[in-house]
């Protein structure tokens, strides 16, 4: 029986078709039997099948219900595939944990939701061993950006607070069908077992970073208005005349330290 699927733009569907790239990704992930692998957006199984063959059991979260039966059919006999049909953005990833081992998350992510999805996954950093993602190259630039870089922003600060970021390799548009209009890159995020800086209240830190970058061309004195005054910014050891992209992780932690933690 042949299966015809028209790729759905609204689900960010660009399917991997380049066998060399897929093999390179699987080598980078290095799946081992018994590990708790979770794939987000398995689609038609380009990564699912080789992952399943390597680990024997895999859980996947896929939004498009039309793909689920075909995916199960393609993976039949390769191992135990548990497909959760639903929205990864609202998914409780803690519910996937079957033993004490942390989760390994993998996905050629739908580009339209990749940033909110990464923020959602950061909430589960404590139970995640690592994450391997195919993303728009520009998003990987933001993940890996250092203070002062053009791409440095809220995503860089929050992800680097939670994870070590390793950019692995770039992927040309021709590796996908339909061919996307952007370049992609493969990245590894490894949640820190001990955080690089101390933060009293992560929610307060996160709110401060979001507000600081809400108008990235303005100085901290202006963007943080209503949250911190100039004196408090100075008390954190930070110059109020700096723009947010000039402040490193430790600077943001010190600024957050000027705010009361939520009770
Ligand atoms: N992994 C497949 C591959 O590499 O060929 C498909 C990747 S495609 C870029 C993204 C996949 O994520 C699609 O299968 C799409 O249906 C699914 N998807 C889109 N939005 C989703 C969501 N909110 N939650 C879970 N899956 C989603």
């Amino acid at each position: 029986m042949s299966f015809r699927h028209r790729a759905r733009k609204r689900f960010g569907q660009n399917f991997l078709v380049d066998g060399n790239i897929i093999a390179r990704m699987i080598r980078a992930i290095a799946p081992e039997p018994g590990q708790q692998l979770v794939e987000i957006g398995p689609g038609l199984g380009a990564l699912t099948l080789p992952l399943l063959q390597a680990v024997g059991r895999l859980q996947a979260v896929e939004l498009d219900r039309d793909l689920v039966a075909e995916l199960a059919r393609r993976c039949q006999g390769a191992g135990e595939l548990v497909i959760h049909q639903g929205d990864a953005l609202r998914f409780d990833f803690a519910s996937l944990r079957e033993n004490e081992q942390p989760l390994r998350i993998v996905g050629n992510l739908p580009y339209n939701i990749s940033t909110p999805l990464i923020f959602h996954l950061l909430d589960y950093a404590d139970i995640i061993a690592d994450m391997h993602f195919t993303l728009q190259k520009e998003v990987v630039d933001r993940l890996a950006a250092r203070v002062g870089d053009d791409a440095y922003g809220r995503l860089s600060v929050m992800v680097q607070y939670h994870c070590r970021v390793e950019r692995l390799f770039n992927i040309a548009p021709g590796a996908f069908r339909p061919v996307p209009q952007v370049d992609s890159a493969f990245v590894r995020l490894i949640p820190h077992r001990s955080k690089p800086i101390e933060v009293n209240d992560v929610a307060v830190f996160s709110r401060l970073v979001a507000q600081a970058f809400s108008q990235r061309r303005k100085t901290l004195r202006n963007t943080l208005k209503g949250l911190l005054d100039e004196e408090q910014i100075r008390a954190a050891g930070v110059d109020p005349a700096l723009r947010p992209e000039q402040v490193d992780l430790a600077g943001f932690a010190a600024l957050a330290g000027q705010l009361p933690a939520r009770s």
Side-chain angles (χ1 to χ4, degrees):
M1 191 177 69
S2 78
F3 175 83
R4 291 202 141 268
H5 177 76
R6 183 190 282 269
R8 295 197 161 107
K9 216 174 173 172
R10 75 193 149 95
F11 289 162
Q13 291 178 350
N14 296 95
F15 298 102
L16 272 164
V17 293
D18 183 327
N20 289 328
I21 292 288
I22 293 169
R24 224 173 140 188
M25 288 179 177
I26 302 295
R27 273 199 305 277
I29 298 165
E32 299 276 348
Q35 292 176 337
Q36 297 197 86
L37 256 86
V38 174
E39 186 181 2
I40 298 176
L44 288 166
L47 295 169
T48 325
L49 192 57
L51 289 172
L52 196 56
Q53 284 162 342
V55 295
R57 178 179 161 85
L58 177 88
Q59 302 195 74
V61 182
E62 172 57 61
L63 182 60
D64 188 345
R65 57 177 87 235
D66 292 350
L67 294 181
V68 169
E70 176 63 12
L71 175 67
R73 192 188 68 75
R74 290 187 184 196
C75 293
Q76 219 164 27
E80 195 184 338
L81 174 63
V82 180
I83 308 172
H84 304 271
Q85 194 269 313
D87 183 352
L89 278 174
R90 294 156 195 242
F91 199 82
D92 174 12
F93 285 88
S95 71
L96 299 181
R97 210 167 173 205
E98 296 172 324
N99 55 46
E100 285 304 297
Q101 276 196 79
L103 304 175
R104 301 196 67 200
I105 312 262
V106 172
N108 168 16
L109 296 189
Y111 292 170
N112 48 346
I113 58 157
S114 57
T115 305
L117 190 52
I118 291 171
F119 276 112
H120 179 57
L121 287 164
L122 292 181
D123 289 343
Y124 299 94
D126 287 349
I127 59 158
I128 294 176
D130 58 17
M131 302 184 256
H132 287 82
F133 295 137
T134 302
L135 296 165
Q136 202 171 322
K137 187 175 159 294
E138 178 246 311
V139 175
V140 175
D141 290 343
R142 286 163 54 205
L143 293 177
R146 311 309 301 184
V147 61
D149 292 349
D150 283 348
Y152 184 74
R154 177 178 171 227
L155 186 65
S156 330
V157 173
M158 293 313 298
V159 167
Q160 291 170 29
Y161 169 68
H162 286 284
C163 305
R164 190 167 92 223
V165 179
E166 293 177 10
R167 174 198 283 280
L168 297 174
F169 50 86
N170 292 340
I171 308 168
F176 306 91
R177 291 291 180 280
V179 176
Q181 289 181 340
V182 293
D183 286 328
S184 303
F186 197 50
V187 67
R188 177 185 294 139
L189 306 179
I190 305 177
H192 300 298
R193 286 301 150 235
S194 69
K195 300 278 192 272
I197 46 155
E198 207 170 310
V199 163
N200 285 341
D201 183 326
V202 182
V204 167
F205 175 70
S206 170
R207 190 157 60 93
L208 177 121
V209 173
Q211 180 158 333
F213 282 104
S214 59
Q215 295 160 292
R216 53 181 300 132
R217 294 288 154 227
K218 294 209 169 161
T219 61
L220 294 176
R221 161 187 307 126
N222 286 312
T223 57
L224 294 182
K225 233 173 223 163
L227 213 53
L228 293 178
D229 61 27
E230 273 201 57
E231 209 172 302
Q232 290 170 303
I233 298 174
R234 271 204 198 89
V238 177
D239 180 352
L242 292 180
R243 290 199 309 266
E245 71 255 33
Q246 297 171 296
V247 180
D248 64 9
L249 231 56
F252 282 115
L255 289 168
Q258 293 295 312
L259 289 166
R262 292 170 318 162
S263 51

